[in-house]
Amino acid sequence: MPTIHAAMRNGLLVAERDDDDAADHDAWRTTQRLGDHDLECVAVHPEAPGRVFVGTFDAGLHRSQDGGESFERVGEGTIGEHVMSLAVDPESPKTIWTGTEPSAVYRSTDGGESWERREGLTDLPSSSEWSFPPRPDTHHVRWIEPDPHSPDHLYVGIEAGALVETHDAGATWEDRVETARVDNHSLATHPDAPERAWSAAGDGYAETHDAGETWVHPQEGLGHRYCWSVAVDPADPDTVLLSSASGPRSAHNADTAESYVYRKRGNGSESDADSWERLDDRGLPTGEGVVRAVLAPGAAGEFYAVNNRGLFFTTDAGDSWTRLGVEWPAAFESQTPRGLAVLG
């Protein structure tokens, strides 16, 4: 029975399915949590499905130990109020990473009971140039992506200013490289693709084939280059889905929204760099009035997407989409999704 945790701006929607009919409203049990807070991110590990973490902008980090039925604040006194990103180590469900505004990275190795700041991030030379345009006197850790092939290696996206890395679990940090994007919004890795990673950034799309040493920018066919969410087919690391818009207003503001989802097949090398294809009229709402989607992979060929119109699902890598029969509150139609975690 799959469970979906969709973090909207003002509420976490937890949806559990009781049978195989994804479009049947009666097949889903939905609850809403944390509606009084400004949500930013959600994370859960498949080997610890009851332990759910949600980051908020107004009240720090919250943890559930009963699958989202109830939450408690954790890390208070160590982690600040503004939690912008979360990740769980692929191999170790008790190792959790979180990023904040102002930019800082924290780690827990005991399931969220205790936290330590991984120092040195803002000592990097490029940090003097980091700045988040809506709040120009600050910046934050927008994304943390652990490398499934090397647990101490993390890609960390700073909004805005840099994609930095650590190879020793945050004991030391490596500054941005020239070919990396500057405004990284989300990153993806793949268990079957060592040294590869994918980035959706405000200044375009990028991918690496050498564990972040260099990045390439396959852009052919990508008509909207303010990129937000990237997801890779679990069965085929050469199949990538990407949500994007022309800029921040058309990405995030429901009143002025116009966003799209693209797909690329090919490994990004000069000899095999298929162009992007826009997935219009496939059952997933795109275009005017639709904010940028948050994407998440499922099983082989499966992807989930959440936008202000609801939750959607594809089993054929985006050729066709089905709206899940999940109760969708009217208030969510004017909100931007902040995170998506899918189990099962």
Side-chain angles (χ1 to χ4, degrees), residues 60-82:
L61 180 61
H62 293 252
R63 180 186 64 181
S64 172
Q65 302 208 76
D66 52 18
E69 291 294 324
S70 62
F71 282 88
E72 60 180 340
R73 184 166 177 177
V74 294
E76 193 168 7
T78 302
I79 300 172
E81 297 293 300
H82 309 322

Side-chain angles (χ1 to χ4, degrees), residues 315-329:
T315 60
D316 50 22
D319 283 331
S320 61
W321 295 80
T322 299
R323 178 169 180 167
L324 301 184
V326 172
E327 179 183 353
W328 196 249

Side-chain angles (χ1 to χ4, degrees), residues 1-341:
M1 178 176 67
T3 301
I4 300 172
H5 300 272
M8 302 299 288
R9 178 173 181 176
N10 296 120
L12 179 73
L13 184 72
V14 182
E16 297 177 285
R17 198 174 77 197
D18 294 322
D19 64 25
D20 293 331
D21 188 352
D24 182 4
H25 280 75
D26 293 334
W28 291 89
R29 181 175 69 90
T30 61
T31 56
Q32 293 182 55
R33 297 289 183 264
L34 300 172
D36 294 334
H37 295 296
D38 186 353
L39 275 56
E40 289 288 348
C41 49
V42 59
V44 59
H45 195 286
E47 293 180 14
R51 191 163 56 232
V52 184
F53 292 90
V54 176
T56 75
F57 192 75
D58 61 326
L61 180 61
H62 293 252
R63 180 186 64 181
S64 172
Q65 302 208 76
D66 52 18
E69 291 294 324
S70 62
F71 282 88
E72 60 180 340
R73 184 166 177 177
V74 294
E76 193 168 7
T78 302
I79 300 172
E81 297 293 300
H82 309 322
V83 174
M84 308 299 290
S85 53
L86 282 162
V88 186
D89 187 288
E91 299 298 326
S92 176
K94 287 191 174 183
T95 298
I96 301 97
W97 296 90
T98 189
T100 63
E101 178 180 307
S103 292
V105 170
Y106 298 84
R107 181 182 66 171
S108 173
T109 57
D110 55 12
E113 292 296 324
S114 61
W115 296 85
E116 59 175 348
R117 179 167 175 164
R118 308 306 282 161
E119 300 289 351
L121 181 67
T122 53
D123 294 333
L124 293 170
S126 72
S127 66
S128 62
E129 303 171 24
W130 302 351
S131 177
F132 180 56
R135 299 184 290 276
D137 295 329
T138 190
H139 43 77
H140 53 246
V141 177
R142 169 56 68 187
W143 197 269
I144 301 173
E145 183 69 19
D147 183 345
H149 305 279
S150 177
D152 290 341
H153 178 208
L154 288 87
Y155 301 93
V156 175
I158 306 296
E159 190 177 32
L163 173 58
V164 304
E165 297 179 58
T166 177
H167 284 84
D168 51 18
T172 61
W173 295 94
E174 300 172 10
D175 210 346
R176 65 191 187 194
V177 297
E178 183 177 354
T179 51
R181 293 301 190 188
V182 173
D183 187 20
N184 296 271
H185 291 142
S186 68
L187 296 146
T189 51
H190 197 287
D192 298 329
E195 298 194 333
R196 294 182 68 180
W198 297 259
S199 169
D203 50 333
Y205 170 82
E207 57 187 63
T208 180
H209 296 254
D210 54 14
E213 293 293 323
T214 60
W215 295 79
V216 294
H217 314 123
Q219 304 274 63
E220 183 181 351
L222 187 60
H224 300 80
R225 298 189 179 182
Y226 181 86
C227 305
W228 187 257
S229 185
V230 62
V232 184
D233 189 333
D236 178 13
D238 291 338
T239 297
V240 183
L241 265 60
L242 181 74
S243 66
S244 62
S246 60
R249 283 179 55 82
S250 56
H252 308 306
N253 189 330
D255 293 334
T256 55
E258 183 183 346
S259 70
Y260 298 91
V261 171
Y262 288 81
R263 180 178 62 196
K264 181 178 72 69
R265 289 188 162 117
N267 66 19
S269 67
E270 292 183 3
S271 61
D272 185 15
D274 288 0
S275 63
W276 291 95
E277 174 187 11
R278 210 168 85 181
L279 301 180
D280 294 349
D281 303 319
R282 312 291 180 100
L284 175 67
T286 60
E288 187 175 348
V290 182
V291 302
R292 82 293 181 279
V294 174
L295 306 168
E302 295 180 352
F303 293 88
Y304 292 80
V306 58
N307 57 33
N308 56 319
R309 301 292 178 84
L311 279 160
F312 300 85
F313 173 66
T314 178
T315 60
D316 50 22
D319 283 331
S320 61
W321 295 80
T322 299
R323 178 169 180 167
L324 301 184
V326 172
E327 179 183 353
W328 196 249
F332 286 179
E333 295 177 4
S334 61
Q335 296 185 24
T336 51
R338 302 299 182 87
L340 182 62

